[in-house]
Amino acid sequence: MTRFLLPALSLLVLGASWGAPAQANSPQYRVETVAEGLEHPWSVAFLPDGRMLVTEHPGRLRVIENGQLRAEPVEGVPPVFHSGQAGLLDVLPAADFADSGTLYLSFVHGDKKANHTRIVRATFDGRRLSDVQPIFTAHPAKSGDAHAGGRMLMLADNTILMGVGDGFYFREQAQKLDTHIGKIVRVGTDGSVPQDNPFVGRADVLPEIYSYGHRHVQAIVRDPASGNLYAHEHGPRGGDELNLIQPGRNYGWPVITYGRDYSRALISPFERMPGMEQPLLTWTPSIAPAGITLYDGELFADWRGHLFVAALAEESLRRVPMAAGKPGPGAQQVLLAELENRIRDVRTGPDGAIYVVTDEKEGRVLRLVPR
């Protein structure tokens, strides 16, 4: 592994909805390069035997084994539509992967005129995928190559949550319940609809919908202690959000927002509306949040229970202190800014280290450990 030293950064947060916090301190850490030479890696996952899986946006699944990136990609990955923000997205090992070898992949299926965010289930034998079966396909088809969503989370009841973006041009669909666009959906590992989904039994609502009124959910994480589900999503020009996700709730987009359109025009004059959830936290200017993890490792004792948010536009990793299920007290901390790399994903590793993925043409998997 390549090793280099970085001092921990501690910066003021500008534009957070709960006010500018005081400066915070953190332990020093060391950054190690686990793998490099990846083309726009998007997601990383850990297997029980110590191997790691990494998705590359153009459509490749890669294996890191014994500290080395295997030269050949995994065979059998289904074709993906790769353009702009569309491509191969998340990889999620099944809870029983050690016995079943089952993986789930999310990606954009179709072409620029008509495409869907899709989940497939497959069996991984260490070299190739077999028995690849679609278990969820977002409907209806949309055009373009933006805001696909695609981040997945396996819940304790063996169901899968996934964010589906609003497609950028179809933001009004986020408020409509006969479409998956602009939603968080929940399905069983076989694609079945959980009978306790909030809209099951309503003929006018797609039963996979778990929550709605989202713009572009980029990550979801569960706090095992409280059971809370947290998701963040991109705002337009500002107004990125961290939300507490509850079934059946409406998160407001585009009726309420703390951001403006890219032209600086108002999207909506409203930041609040009855029946629509308020974010726990917003970021203005936009940091473009990507991955998220709730740190529960042993290596950084002072950071246990805090959220870590990968940021694309800010080119950073943000630590968000949490208390009683809400952000704060204390300052958010901006880490890794001097790398000047877009950070796409962040995970707590089984070894207690923090792993991040840089979204670059020559992308890397990095590991943060105490110095």
Side-chain angles (χ1 to χ4, degrees):
M1 291 184 179
T2 303
R3 292 178 169 86
F4 53 97
L5 300 182
L6 286 176
L9 293 181
S10 182
L11 303 180
L12 293 179
V13 178
L14 301 178
S17 62
W18 41 275
Q23 191 164 345
N25 297 314
S26 77
Q28 290 183 312
Y29 56 87
R30 184 175 74 245
V31 178
E32 302 174 344
T33 297
V34 178
E36 54 192 351
L38 293 153
E39 185 177 0
H40 293 288
W42 205 92
S43 177
V44 63
F46 304 94
L47 299 181
D49 61 4
R51 289 175 297 169
M52 299 167 62
L53 299 175
V54 185
T55 59
E56 291 180 297
H57 206 224
R60 292 179 293 272
L61 180 63
R62 307 293 298 275
V63 179
I64 299 171
E65 188 172 27
N66 298 321
Q68 299 293 323
L69 178 66
R70 192 186 293 168
E72 67 280 3
V74 173
E75 298 177 11
V77 174
V80 308
F81 168 50
H82 177 230
S83 173
Q85 296 174 3
L88 180 60
L89 304 172
D90 212 355
V91 56
L92 179 68
D96 65 349
F97 177 86
D99 297 319
S100 68
T102 300
L103 291 177
Y104 301 88
L105 293 173
S106 65
F107 60 96
V108 181
H109 167 75
D111 56 33
K112 200 161 188 175
K113 292 182 179 179
N115 59 77
H116 316 255
T117 305
R118 170 172 282 186
I119 303 173
V120 297
R121 181 180 62 196
T123 301
F124 179 52
D125 66 3
R127 295 288 173 179
R128 70 183 312 275
L129 300 181
S130 61
D131 194 25
V132 180
Q133 300 176 3
I135 64 166
F136 172 78
T137 302
H139 288 288
K142 62 174 182 60
S143 59
D145 58 8
H147 290 195
R151 191 74 72 179
M152 298 183 288
L153 174 69
M154 183 75 72
L155 297 180
D157 62 1
N158 216 33
T159 60
I160 298 172
L161 291 178
M162 183 178 73
V164 180
D166 70 350
F168 189 81
Y169 300 106
F170 309 99
R171 62 193 185 197
E172 292 79 11
Q173 300 295 312
Q175 288 295 317
K176 297 181 179 180
L177 295 175
D178 59 352
T179 167
H180 294 125
I181 293 173
K183 312 298 189 298
I184 293 176
V185 298
R186 175 173 173 247
V187 296
T189 54
D190 59 356
S192 60
V193 175
Q195 289 307 295
D196 59 347
N197 267 6
F199 298 110
V200 166
R202 282 186 52 176
D204 58 336
V205 181
L206 292 179
E208 297 89 356
I209 294 173
Y210 191 77
S211 61
Y212 65 108
H214 299 290
R215 184 174 185 265
H216 191 201
V217 171
Q218 285 287 277
I220 314 169
V221 70
R222 180 179 180 272
D223 180 354
S226 65
N228 286 348
L229 290 170
Y230 301 102
H232 59 53
E233 60 187 89
H234 288 188
R237 184 182 287 274
D240 299 340
E241 297 182 359
L242 174 69
N243 286 297
L244 174 66
I245 301 300
Q246 300 181 72
R249 300 293 179 89
N250 180 356
Y251 290 82
W253 176 258
V255 178
I256 60 173
T257 179
Y258 287 87
R260 287 177 173 259
D261 217 337
Y262 294 103
S263 66
R264 302 184 186 273
L266 278 177
I267 295 168
S268 169
F270 305 109
E271 295 177 346
R272 296 175 179 267
M273 189 74 71
M276 296 182 178
E277 301 301 308
Q278 280 293 297
L280 297 175
L281 171 66
T282 65
W283 290 284
T284 298
S286 176
I287 66 170
I292 192 171
T293 190
L294 191 146
Y295 183 73
D296 59 357
E298 300 294 338
L299 295 186
F300 297 100
D302 292 342
W303 291 351
R304 285 182 61 85
H306 295 190
L307 293 176
F308 284 79
V309 176
L312 297 167
E314 189 179 62
E315 298 184 335
S316 74
L317 177 68
R318 278 198 176 233
R319 180 176 65 86
V320 181
M322 300 291 288
K326 296 181 180 179
Q332 290 179 46
Q333 191 176 14
V334 178
L335 310 175
L336 303 182
E338 63 263 278
L339 294 183
E340 298 183 348
N341 279 186
R342 289 161 52 88
I343 308 297
R344 170 63 69 176
D345 197 12
V346 57
R347 307 279 177 162
T348 303
D351 57 356
I354 297 172
Y355 289 78
V356 299
V357 170
T358 67
D359 182 10
E360 303 288 339
K361 178 68 174 175
E362 292 288 331
R364 294 179 290 171
V365 177
L366 304 175
R367 178 175 180 259
L368 278 65
V369 295
R371 185 171 178 178

